[in-house]
Amino acid sequence: GVGEKPYHWCTSLLRTHRDTVICVQRRRTDQIVTQLRGEPQGPATRRTERCARLRVASVSMAHAWGTLELLSDKKVWGLKPFEDQYYTIEYPDYELSAPAHTVGRQQDGATPTLVLPFAVVSGKHCVVQRDPATDEVRLTDLSSNGTSVNGRHLGRKNSTVLEDGDKVTVFERRDGSTKENGGAVIEYVFRRRAAPAPSVVSLLERQNATLREELAAARAEVEQRLKELHEGAARVARADDVTALA
């Protein structure tokens, strides 16, 4: 009919427009990665980054926002159930990367746990939490024997803000910390870690999110234009039929 050639021509034009949008967005992503890495742009670089884009969705890297570093001796003397012997603490440096971490005698099912398997340590001794909105870190005492921060006893269900360099005492027998005088101390220092600079992966994730939104908008526009063309072609065909009958 009369509308056949314009219809197919417009359809082809719209599809070419969509493909152009996709190519431009891919090129923009490649250029961002090249600028970040300071590499010369070329076919090999573009192929590498296209592969990286395909892997972005499955990449997840947890960043440690703090560390509990053991200040006291990692060999603890004489605490039940290890009477008359040393017990070596397994994690002298414990990384904090989840929103909340528990310090306790046994593994907590809900949060990652720094396990200190001594009778004087409560099952859930204390919790260290970071508020992602404010970046504030708080320690909450949940123990029977008590937790101290910088020498200040907190008391059960009380909490305090933790700052870089604060000393956290999980347990202290006041007469010392060695086999010779029969004492024991379990004490950590809290260290903050600065947030890392945006990685290539995270920048690609943001770029790909923008790319998906723009492609969705382009597809919607193409579909709307195709619908309008279908309707126009149908009207032209009906008009031709009426003319032929007349």
Side-chain angles (χ1 to χ4, degrees):
V2 176
E4 182 176 356
K5 184 175 179 180
Y7 169 72
H8 287 296
W9 180 81
C10 291
T11 301
S12 176
L13 182 63
L14 286 170
R15 286 173 178 161
T16 301
H17 170 68
R18 179 196 59 192
D19 294 340
T20 301
V21 171
I22 293 173
C23 290
V24 168
Q25 293 299 330
R26 285 178 176 169
R27 190 157 54 248
R28 282 171 54 192
T29 302
D30 292 339
Q31 289 170 349
I32 286 176
V33 173
T34 300
Q35 291 169 2
L36 284 169
R37 291 186 171 177
E39 297 175 354
Q41 188 171 355
T45 301
R46 286 195 290 271
R47 282 196 299 272
T48 301
E49 302 310 333
R50 278 197 290 273
C51 292
R53 283 199 302 273
L54 295 174
R55 294 194 297 268
V56 161
S58 62
V59 173
S60 176
M61 296 187 297
H63 168 66
W65 46 264
T67 308
L68 290 175
E69 298 177 359
L70 190 66
L71 279 180
S72 53
D73 195 331
K74 65 180 180 180
K75 291 185 176 182
V76 180
W77 171 257
L79 292 183
K80 293 181 180 180
F82 308 102
E83 298 94 332
D84 300 325
Q85 61 179 299
Y86 282 110
Y87 177 88
T88 302
I89 293 177
E90 188 174 357
Y91 298 105
D93 294 336
Y94 181 78
E95 287 193 343
L96 306 164
S97 56
H101 288 261
T102 299
V103 178
R105 187 174 61 250
Q106 57 200 19
Q107 187 73 39
D108 181 67
T111 58
T113 306
L114 169 56
V115 177
L116 300 170
F118 307 107
V120 293
V121 176
S122 298
K124 196 169 185 177
H125 198 87
C126 63
V127 174
V128 180
Q129 295 174 289
R130 174 181 170 269
D131 185 341
T134 63
D135 203 37
E136 181 183 79
V137 178
R138 298 192 71 87
L139 183 145
T140 303
D141 187 4
L142 301 173
S143 66
S144 301
N145 289 328
T147 305
S148 299
V149 176
N150 295 328
R152 182 173 67 88
H153 183 82
L154 294 183
R156 187 174 176 81
K157 296 187 178 180
N158 292 325
S159 67
T160 187
V161 174
L162 278 185
E163 303 289 353
D164 181 67
D166 284 350
K167 295 180 181 179
V168 178
T169 306
V170 178
F171 175 77
E172 180 178 12
R173 185 179 293 158
R174 296 186 182 279
D175 57 355
S177 59
T178 65
K179 175 180 177 180
E180 285 69 27
N181 55 28
V185 173
I186 305 173
E187 187 173 58
Y188 289 83
V189 61
F190 172 67
R191 297 294 185 192
R192 288 301 306 261
R193 286 194 183 179
S199 65
V200 171
V201 170
S202 64
L203 289 169
L204 276 173
E205 286 175 338
R206 289 198 292 270
Q207 176 66 19
N208 283 353
T210 302
L211 172 61
R212 285 192 293 270
E213 291 174 1
E214 294 183 2
L215 289 180
R219 289 192 186 99
E221 181 183 355
V222 168
E223 293 299 326
Q224 180 61 32
R225 296 290 179 86
L226 288 174
K227 180 181 177 182
E228 293 171 358
L229 286 171
H230 276 296
E231 293 173 350
R235 285 195 298 270
V236 170
R238 285 195 298 271
D240 287 346
D241 291 342
V242 170
T243 303
L245 289 173

